[in-house]
Amino acid sequence: MKSLYGREFTIMAGVILLSFALLAGAFVTLTYQYTMQEKRDAMQRTADIIADFTGAMQNESVSLLDSGYQAYVVAISNVSDAYVLICDDEGQVVLTSKGALQSNVKQPSIPRSVAQEVQRSGSYSGITSLDGLFPEKRYTAGQSITVRNLLGMESSQGMVFVAANMSSVTSLWQDLSTIFFMTAAAVLCVAFLTSSVTSRHQTKPLKEIANTARRFGHGEFDARVTGYEHRKDEVGELAEAFNAMADSIAQSEQKRSEFIANVSHELKTPMTTIAGFADGILDGTIPPERERDYLKTISSETRRLSRLVRRMLDLSRLQSSENVTAQEPFDAAEVMLRVLVSLETKINARHLDVDAQLPDGAVMVWGDPDAITQVCYNLLDNAIKFSDEGTTMGISITSKGGKAYVSVRNHGKTIPAEELPLLFDRFHKADYSRSADRDGVGLGLYIVKTILGNHKENITVTSSDGVTEFTFTLTLA
């Protein structure tokens, strides 16, 4: 598997190399064409100047063998760093920048095709040795010499050729190319070094996070990503998100362990009681006249086990990812009254009065009516169990800011302030209520919290001066 560092460095290096390759190609092409074109233009201008001057001299009937004219040609040749040839109409060379040719020496001539090109178009340009006149190929520019007669008519009276050695142009271009490639090599080295450092700097925290994730997966729940708390980039966000996830999972693992411990405890107590009393009846330890009383205890503990299992199944269903709360409008006041009527027997058994402060009309809210019915049942049943006998239990519904506030209030023992945040935990029971709530399993309020959480609603509890009140919200329809 290729590492992220290797892929990132390869991509960056490839982009840099490709960019410099394209830049180098463009630079070489443009500089070569520019230097060559500059030389061509210079040679053509030189040929035009000499041709115009030569035509003017011939109009003045000045001989091409004149020392002044020859000095002019030599000066132009030296200034332009070129070799000058003056030819007649047939292409025979009559004068060079080195001076006039001797009359007793066979006159050299330019190729016939070149002479014809000048005669036809008036100019010539190309890279040639002129059939051996030069030891190597040179850039040569030619121009016809135009002379005016007495009638003002123009006629061709020879031609001028200016040839430049390309070595100077090539040397200049090579020098420019050398400078460019040396600079490019230095820039590439810096770019590769920077790319390597940057890539390693970016991948290092990812490796650390991956190693921390492996440690966490192997059970080290205290493993965290450190050293990136002050980074404000994506790496800092990733480290923060990982640590938050790790904290959440660690808390969930702790709660899971506590849940298993609580379940074991809740199951162990009634099972121990059932097994002990059953063995006592079977081995004769318990007298026959008391067997009925102990069988009642066994039956009660069995029903308690059944309630615990049923509550745990309800809790599992509520926490299932497949549980989707149905949203429909219903009357919250009607649900509360229906639950209150179903608990009438328990209310009368404890001689409680009910103070119901409900609106005259319907209170339409959104939610799952069956689930909210369970919420109301658990809260009212809880209030009945922990109310002092003969006191008043209150229920009320008020509306404010698009929410319905449903409250259940009872008079009994005050719940300590430190206990209030723990009431909605699984299997939690306040110490003072353990003996009073023998039938409870400590899941009722947790189920209430879970149902309201699925509805995106809240529940709060207050307890002071013996009055405990639970209030939850529902969204008005």
Side-chain angles (χ1 to χ4, degrees), residues 106 109 112-113 115 147 191 203 305 345 370 387 390 397 414 426 468:
K106 182 180 178 181
S109 63
R112 185 171 182 80
S113 59
V147 179
T203 55
L305 279 175
T345 302
D370 293 336
S387 292
I397 299 178
T414 300
R426 290 174 292 193
T468 301

Side-chain angles (χ1 to χ4, degrees), residues 303-318:
R303 286 194 296 271
R304 184 174 175 226
L305 279 175
S306 177
R307 286 194 301 273
L308 175 61
V309 172
R310 186 171 61 253
R311 287 293 181 90
M312 290 177 62
L313 290 176
D314 291 341
L315 186 59
S316 177
R317 176 181 58 82
L318 290 172

Side-chain angles (χ1 to χ4, degrees), residues 145-411:
I145 301 174
T146 304
V147 179
R148 292 179 180 271
N149 57 25
L150 296 175
L151 298 177
M153 301 293 291
E154 292 184 350
S155 60
S156 177
Q157 296 294 327
M159 54 193 74
V160 176
F161 289 93
V162 179
N165 194 332
M166 299 301 295
S167 60
S168 60
V169 178
T170 305
S171 178
L172 174 62
W173 175 76
Q174 289 177 345
D175 291 341
L176 291 175
S177 299
T178 301
I179 294 174
F180 171 80
F181 284 111
M182 290 180 64
T183 305
V187 173
L188 282 175
C189 291
V190 174
F192 285 150
L193 180 62
T194 304
S195 175
S196 177
V197 173
T198 302
S199 300
R200 192 174 298 277
H201 180 70
Q202 291 177 347
T203 55
K204 179 182 177 182
L206 298 180
K207 290 183 179 179
E208 293 184 4
I209 293 175
N211 291 332
T212 305
R214 293 190 190 96
R215 291 169 52 204
F216 195 88
H218 291 155
E220 298 182 33
F221 296 113
D222 58 342
R224 296 293 185 273
V225 179
T226 59
Y228 303 99
E229 295 82 359
H230 302 294
R231 288 188 61 162
K232 303 301 180 182
D233 56 3
E234 290 80 358
V235 173
E237 292 181 3
L238 178 60
E240 181 182 357
F242 177 86
N243 290 336
M245 178 199 69
D247 291 339
S248 177
I249 293 177
Q251 292 176 3
S252 298
E253 180 65 19
Q254 181 181 1
K255 289 182 178 180
R256 184 185 69 84
S257 300
E258 294 176 355
F259 176 74
I260 293 175
N262 288 330
V263 169
S264 300
H265 173 76
E266 293 294 333
L267 291 176
K268 180 181 178 180
T269 301
M271 290 175 66
T272 301
T273 302
I274 292 172
F277 288 165
D279 291 340
I281 293 173
L282 291 175
D283 61 17
T285 303
I286 298 176
E289 63 274 11
R290 299 195 61 187
E291 287 182 358
R292 183 176 181 82
D293 295 333
Y294 286 105
L295 286 174
K296 289 182 179 179
T297 302
I298 292 174
S299 176
S300 175
E301 292 297 316
T302 302
R303 286 194 296 271
R304 184 174 175 226
L305 279 175
S306 177
R307 286 194 301 273
L308 175 61
V309 172
R310 186 171 61 253
R311 287 293 181 90
M312 290 177 62
L313 290 176
D314 291 341
L315 186 59
S316 177
R317 176 181 58 82
L318 290 172
Q319 293 179 328
S320 172
S321 59
E322 298 178 356
N323 179 66
V324 178
T325 302
Q327 294 289 319
E328 62 179 84
F330 65 94
D331 186 0
E334 180 183 353
V335 169
M336 180 63 77
L337 289 174
R338 189 166 61 245
V339 173
L340 189 64
V341 171
S342 69
L343 293 171
E344 182 178 1
T345 302
K346 290 186 177 182
I347 294 173
N348 292 334
R350 295 188 63 80
H351 308 289
L352 300 176
D353 292 330
V354 177
D355 179 17
Q357 300 178 8
L358 303 178
D360 294 335
V363 182
M364 301 303 296
V365 295
W366 283 101
D368 180 357
D370 293 336
I372 300 304
T373 297
Q374 186 174 2
V375 169
C376 295
Y377 183 90
N378 288 358
L379 291 177
L380 286 172
D381 183 63
N382 195 66
I384 293 170
K385 285 189 294 185
F386 297 111
S387 292
D388 290 340
E389 189 169 348
T391 59
T392 299
M393 184 179 67
I395 58 175
S396 65
I397 299 178
T398 58
S399 300
K400 182 180 179 181
K403 294 283 187 178
Y405 292 83
V406 183
S407 298
V408 176
R409 182 178 65 258
N410 72 285
H411 290 75

Side-chain angles (χ1 to χ4, degrees), residues 41-91:
D41 293 343
M43 293 301 98
Q44 193 63 53
R45 288 194 299 269
T46 301
D48 291 342
I49 292 171
I50 295 176
D52 292 341
F53 183 77
T54 302
M57 293 292 292
Q58 289 183 346
N59 284 334
E60 298 294 331
S61 300
V62 177
S63 172
L64 297 181
L65 300 178
D66 182 76
S67 59
Y69 174 75
Q70 291 184 20
Y72 170 79
V73 172
V74 172
I76 291 295
S77 173
N78 293 332
V79 170
S80 61
D81 191 22
Y83 194 83
V84 180
L85 299 174
I86 308 297
C87 305
D88 59 16
D89 286 337
E90 299 300 326

Side-chain angles (χ1 to χ4, degrees), residues 430-441:
D431 291 337
Y432 77 89
S433 66
R434 285 194 179 272
S435 59
D437 186 21
R438 175 66 179 171
D439 294 335
V441 295

